[in-house]
Amino acid sequence: HVADPRFATVDVAHLLSKDHGRFRAGAIDMSRSAAAGGNTASSRLGSASETVQFCVVDGHGNACSMIQSTFMGFGTGIVPSGCGFCLQNRGLNFSLDRAHRNALVGGKRPFHTIIPGLITRESDGSLYGAFGCMGGFMQPQGHFQLVSNLVDLEMDAQTALDAARFCVGSSYARDDDDRSNHHVYIEQGCDHNVLNTLRNRGHDIHAPVVGADRAMFGRGQIILRKHPHTSAVLEAGSDPRADGHATVQ
């Protein structure tokens, strides 16, 4: 479903509907993994740490979540004369298959991983929070986990970022065979009983992931506006896996 909406017709309302959510949830078998049941499809693409994410909220409730990335280390490796920076390499994820929805076409946006986020309240559309989680193709998984921590588990911003994460089919994995599509990487801090239960259900668990290898779980920032009609009190957190911080201007 991910392609430039000017070139591909995607029913976003259907994808976001409760009926479709229930249909997708119904495909989950809590007793075994999808890979064990033979029902899985995934892809694995390269990534690296060349991305910066920041978010800002002002006293009027205006917010910005921003991600800047060259992609693949030094991007294209091309430095414009006299500028001192590399050009980005986001064209990598175009396909040369003309029938593919991400086929290379002039004026078309390529499939990419830059997905900064804002959360609004369903009741009145007011800002609840600005957030983002860098990390290549970990980003949608990281966003899901952060939002679930905030909304379902009612964590504060910093606790949501501190919590251990999982990553399915990491683009940071060191093994190159197709089986890595189905590997489930789990960060240090997850209960051993949970890990054993997942293994018994057929998941290919790789845990605990520690040290510098935790880069595969992304790096995020969050600012929450807990009261819908005022920014007098903001709550912020910064990912301990990176070198960011929360500050007041």
Side-chain angles (χ1 to χ4, degrees):
H1 302 294
V2 183
D4 190 328
R6 298 170 300 170
F7 293 82
T9 301
V10 179
D11 190 348
V12 176
H14 171 68
L15 292 176
L16 297 177
S17 69
K18 300 294 185 183
D19 286 341
H20 183 66
R22 283 189 285 268
F23 171 76
R24 297 300 299 164
I28 299 173
D29 186 340
M30 294 300 292
S31 66
R32 64 178 183 176
S33 72
N39 178 25
T40 180
S42 59
S43 62
R44 182 168 173 264
L45 298 169
S47 184
S49 298
E50 70 303 298
T51 306
V52 173
Q53 194 278 338
F54 65 86
C55 47
V56 179
V57 176
D58 69 11
H60 303 287
N62 300 306
C64 173
S65 179
M66 171 74 181
I67 293 181
Q68 167 63 31
S69 175
T70 56
F71 200 54
M72 296 189 70
F74 286 95
T76 60
I78 298 173
V79 179
S81 179
C83 293
F85 59 84
C86 292
L87 298 179
Q88 50 87 9
N89 193 31
R90 287 292 165 182
L92 175 76
N93 291 321
F94 273 130
S95 172
L96 297 181
D97 179 355
R98 293 184 178 182
H100 196 283
R101 65 175 55 235
N102 284 301
L104 179 61
V105 175
K108 183 179 183 180
R109 288 185 176 182
F111 171 44
H112 61 77
T113 64
I114 301 176
I115 46 175
L118 296 175
I119 306 174
T120 57
R121 293 178 174 83
E122 186 176 10
S123 59
D124 60 4
S126 63
L127 176 71
Y128 176 75
F131 74 106
C133 183
M134 305 169 281
F137 291 87
M138 169 64 187
Q139 284 194 52
Q141 299 184 58
H143 281 202
F144 159 73
Q145 291 173 64
L146 291 182
V147 173
S148 181
N149 288 344
L150 293 170
V151 177
D152 299 323
L153 302 181
E154 299 183 343
M155 294 181 181
D156 60 70
Q158 190 60 57
T159 303
L161 289 162
D162 291 346
R165 296 178 194 152
F166 65 86
C167 180
V168 180
S170 172
S171 53
Y172 286 78
R174 296 174 180 174
D175 38 357
D176 295 322
D177 62 272
D178 290 339
R179 290 174 298 173
S180 61
N181 286 334
H182 309 142
H183 292 172
V184 181
Y185 299 89
I186 300 181
E187 192 172 17
Q188 183 180 33
C190 184
D191 188 276
H192 287 286
N193 291 327
V194 173
L195 298 178
N196 290 333
T197 298
L198 292 173
R199 289 190 178 101
N200 291 336
R201 293 178 180 180
H203 293 283
D204 189 357
I205 301 298
H206 291 247
V209 178
V210 301
D213 288 339
R214 297 167 70 209
M216 70 170 64
F217 301 111
R219 294 87 58 206
Q221 323 285 348
I222 298 174
I223 302 176
L224 300 181
R225 186 172 180 252
K226 288 297 190 72
H227 302 285
H229 303 299
T230 177
S231 294
V233 178
L234 298 174
E235 179 182 296
S238 186
D239 204 310
R241 300 164 188 83
D243 55 358
H245 66 282
T247 186
V248 177
Q249 183 65 36

